[in-house]
Amino acid sequence: MSDKHLAIGSECPPLQEGVLRCYSMKYCPYAQRVRIIIAAKNVKHEIVNINLKSKPDWFFEKNPLGKVPALEKDGALMFESMVICDYLNEAYPEPPLYPADPWQKAHDRVFIELWSKVSSPMYKVYFAKGDQHVLAQCFDDIRDGLDMFEVELSKRGTCFFAGAKPGMLDYMIWPWVERLPMAQQMAGDDDALPEERYLKLLSWMTNMKEEPAVRATFMSPETHLKFLLSHISGSPEYDMEE
Amino acid sequence: MSDKHLAIGSECPPLQEGVLRCYSMKYCPYAQRVRIIIAAKNVKHEIVNINLKSKPDWFFEKNPLGKVPALEKDGALMFESMVICDYLNEAYPEPPLYPADPWQKAHDRVFIELWSKVSSPMYKVYFAKGDQHVLAQCFDDIRDGLDMFEVELSKRGTCFFAGAKPGMLDYMIWPWVERLPMAQQMAGDDDALPEERYLKLLSWMTNMKEEPAVRATFMSPETHLKFLLSHISGSPEYDMEE
């Protein structure tokens, strides 16, 4: 199956029995969450990329809100990245991605929610149009958000948030961490996130990049930036050369 | 323990060992979600109400974001209503509130997310200041949102979304359903949600009102309206007589 993003006028690729289908967009961080968990769980699957500026009619028929990521199984559709990732974790138990203890699991889920303290100001960076006042406020917020994760990782004293191997919390925040260097480039400030302030997170990033599930979906800051600039210009190049 | 909402200058009530503490605000629908699940699971607990306009310093020390609902156990804090309710469902397995099948469970969680299509325009009604154009748009959105739930309940063909007894989906949407009559009163249009359009949901509402976990937290539309008007005026009367 081609990885070209399907647009209005395309035909819906026929479903294969027993194959989980993931509707995605190559540069969407929420879709990347799902693709990482699919890789971590080694789930037999196929990816169907959707052109979000020109969604096919058949996509709306399946998925009235027209959202990606979405999962399709036997004609039934599921969406919301966290719901999908939690589903995959339950339907494919190995390796387990949450602590077995319910309180510890909930604690990880709280931190996944807290990640919006980093991801929300990142979006504002993209659309700040170089306004230095806005950018300064955004990076204040990003640094404050990252501080919580630096402190938490330090408290845990482990290589990954989940311990010796990454878990759901590690994977769920990764797509935005992968884009942090791009956010700094957008702001024209390579020192917006000082290394000495995030020593634990930097070492965590190095380790995460070696993880097979992360490598399966990784793209460079340059590639992310190239796509983002096309997106901001109003003509997102979903199928650009990386 | 008094149910008075604690404000700046108050002392933090001492924790009792082995008792789960729920920080709440009496009229907060998110906090009501948690109180409903505590009741459904019959969890030994205590409620500490927080004055959200004048939060005590000790509350911020425990809970830097200062949010309710929050759960405290042995000095550790958890927040986010869905994370807390899912935690309670796992830590206190009886009665189980999700389908055992992971796909069906995820399907219910998607519908819990979809509820924002109803709850978000409800907030806009409260702050529409009687603007008829805004109110008309809000109720269009609310009706569209409710339609999805009417269709889903009809498809399921059961008394509750979860079957013969309510489950997580039923309980998670309830706090806003309880406030729908108030939203109609705010709009001055008792027919904004025509009965004939929501026959399944109306019968579901009647059944939900009889459920002990719902009765444990139920307040009348008049009480909700009285609080809301005080809230809109800028002086929320957390401790008003019902």
Side-chain angles (χ1 to χ4, degrees):
Chain A
M1 187 170 296
S2 153
D3 70 352
K4 194 168 176 306
H5 291 71
L6 301 179
I8 286 180
S10 67
E11 296 219 354
C12 178
L15 279 171
Q16 299 175 60
E17 207 180 300
V19 178
L20 206 60
R21 173 176 290 184
C22 173
Y23 293 100
S24 182
M25 188 283 272
K26 208 169 163 183
Y27 302 96
C28 167
Y30 294 96
Q32 190 181 354
R33 280 180 162 181
V34 172
R35 289 183 291 120
I36 289 173
I37 301 306
I38 284 175
K41 297 281 184 176
N42 200 16
V43 178
K44 189 179 172 190
H45 75 287
E46 61 180 18
I47 301 286
V48 172
N49 283 319
I50 301 292
N51 183 321
L52 300 182
K53 281 279 277 193
S54 164
K55 293 174 191 173
D57 294 335
W58 55 259
F59 189 57
F60 280 108
E61 279 162 29
K62 287 171 183 281
N63 182 0
L65 302 180
K67 291 173 86 167
V68 300
L71 215 57
E72 187 168 17
K73 193 184 77 164
D74 304 328
L77 221 92
M78 180 195 301
F79 51 90
E80 290 291 334
S81 68
M82 274 316 305
V83 173
I84 294 173
C85 291
D86 283 345
Y87 160 74
L88 291 170
N89 189 49
E90 293 183 7
Y92 304 87
E94 293 303 325
L97 298 178
Y98 281 120
D101 173 71
W103 184 277
Q104 292 306 324
K105 175 181 175 181
H107 190 62
D108 280 8
R109 292 185 65 202
V110 165
F111 268 84
I112 294 172
E113 294 291 328
L114 282 175
W115 186 251
S116 66
K117 302 278 169 194
V118 177
S119 59
S120 301
M122 281 179 72
Y123 283 105
K124 292 186 191 152
V125 168
Y126 304 162
F127 294 95
K129 297 179 182 168
D131 182 319
Q132 291 304 315
H133 179 74
V134 173
L135 287 170
Q137 181 60 56
C138 289
F139 274 96
D140 275 349
D141 293 343
I142 293 172
R143 282 187 294 267
D144 288 349
L146 287 174
D147 283 348
M148 288 192 292
F149 286 81
E150 178 74 13
V151 167
E152 180 68 14
L153 192 53
S154 183
K155 267 189 204 165
R156 295 190 183 199
T158 47
C159 185
F160 298 101
F161 286 94
K165 297 293 292 173
M168 194 62 87
L169 172 54
D170 298 278
Y171 289 135
M172 291 302 96
I173 69 177
W174 177 259
W176 290 268
V177 174
E178 185 175 303
R179 288 160 177 79
L180 279 172
M182 169 184 76
Q184 291 190 95
Q185 284 182 43
M186 283 290 289
D189 181 358
D190 286 348
D191 204 36
L193 303 173
E195 294 199 358
E196 64 279 12
R197 186 161 165 174
Y198 304 109
L199 293 176
K200 297 283 176 194
L201 282 174
L202 279 170
S203 140
W204 170 84
M205 275 181 73
T206 307
N207 292 320
M208 283 293 281
K209 281 185 190 166
E210 297 302 316
E211 285 297 312
V214 169
R215 290 164 68 109
T217 69
F218 184 83
M219 283 184 288
S220 71
E222 293 70 29
T223 302
H224 282 303
L225 183 61
K226 193 173 157 191
F227 173 75
L228 179 62
L229 292 174
S230 77
H231 178 49
I232 292 172
S233 80
S235 303
E237 293 192 40
Y238 298 113
D239 299 309
M240 68 182 197
E241 305 248 333
E242 278 179 42
Chain B
M1 187 171 295
S2 152
D3 71 351
K4 194 169 178 306
H5 291 71
L6 300 182
I8 286 181
S10 67
E11 295 218 356
C12 177
L15 278 170
Q16 298 174 61
E17 209 180 296
V19 178
L20 206 60
R21 173 177 290 182
C22 174
Y23 292 100
S24 182
M25 189 281 273
K26 207 168 163 184
Y27 301 96
C28 167
Y30 294 97
Q32 191 182 354
R33 279 180 163 180
V34 173
R35 289 183 292 121
I36 289 173
I37 301 306
I38 283 174
K41 297 282 183 174
N42 199 18
V43 178
K44 189 179 171 191
H45 74 287
E46 62 180 17
I47 301 286
V48 172
N49 284 319
I50 301 291
N51 182 323
L52 300 182
K53 282 279 275 191
S54 165
K55 294 174 190 171
D57 293 336
W58 55 259
F59 189 58
F60 280 108
E61 280 162 30
K62 288 171 183 279
N63 181 358
L65 300 181
K67 293 172 84 168
V68 301
L71 216 56
E72 186 168 17
K73 193 184 77 166
D74 303 329
L77 221 93
M78 179 195 300
F79 50 90
E80 289 293 331
S81 69
M82 275 314 305
V83 172
I84 294 173
C85 291
D86 283 346
Y87 160 74
L88 292 170
N89 189 48
E90 293 183 8
Y92 304 87
E94 294 301 327
L97 298 178
Y98 281 119
D101 174 69
W103 185 278
Q104 292 306 324
K105 175 182 175 179
H107 190 63
D108 279 9
R109 291 187 64 202
V110 165
F111 268 85
I112 294 171
E113 294 291 328
L114 283 174
W115 186 250
S116 66
K117 301 279 169 195
V118 177
S119 59
S120 300
M122 280 179 72
Y123 284 105
K124 292 185 192 151
V125 168
Y126 303 162
F127 294 94
K129 298 178 181 169
D131 181 320
Q132 291 303 314
H133 179 75
V134 172
L135 287 170
Q137 181 60 55
C138 288
F139 274 96
D140 275 350
D141 293 343
I142 292 172
R143 282 186 293 267
D144 288 350
L146 288 174
D147 282 349
M148 288 192 292
F149 286 80
E150 179 74 14
V151 167
E152 181 67 15
L153 192 54
S154 183
K155 269 189 202 165
R156 296 189 182 199
T158 46
C159 184
F160 299 101
F161 286 95
K165 295 295 290 174
M168 194 63 86
L169 172 55
D170 298 278
Y171 288 135
M172 292 301 97
I173 69 177
W174 177 258
W176 290 268
V177 174
E178 185 175 304
R179 288 160 178 79
L180 279 171
M182 170 185 72
Q184 293 191 95
Q185 284 182 45
M186 283 291 290
D189 181 359
D190 286 348
D191 204 37
L193 304 172
E195 295 200 358
E196 64 279 12
R197 186 161 165 175
Y198 303 109
L199 293 177
K200 297 282 177 197
L201 282 173
L202 279 170
S203 139
W204 170 85
M205 274 181 75
T206 306
N207 291 318
M208 282 293 281
K209 281 186 191 166
E210 298 302 317
E211 285 296 313
V214 169
R215 289 164 68 111
T217 69
F218 183 82
M219 283 183 288
S220 71
E222 292 69 30
T223 302
H224 284 300
L225 183 61
K226 192 172 156 191
F227 174 76
L228 179 62
L229 293 174
S230 77
H231 178 51
I232 292 172
S233 79
S235 303
E237 293 191 41
Y238 297 114
D239 299 308
M240 69 183 198
E241 306 247 333
E242 277 179 42

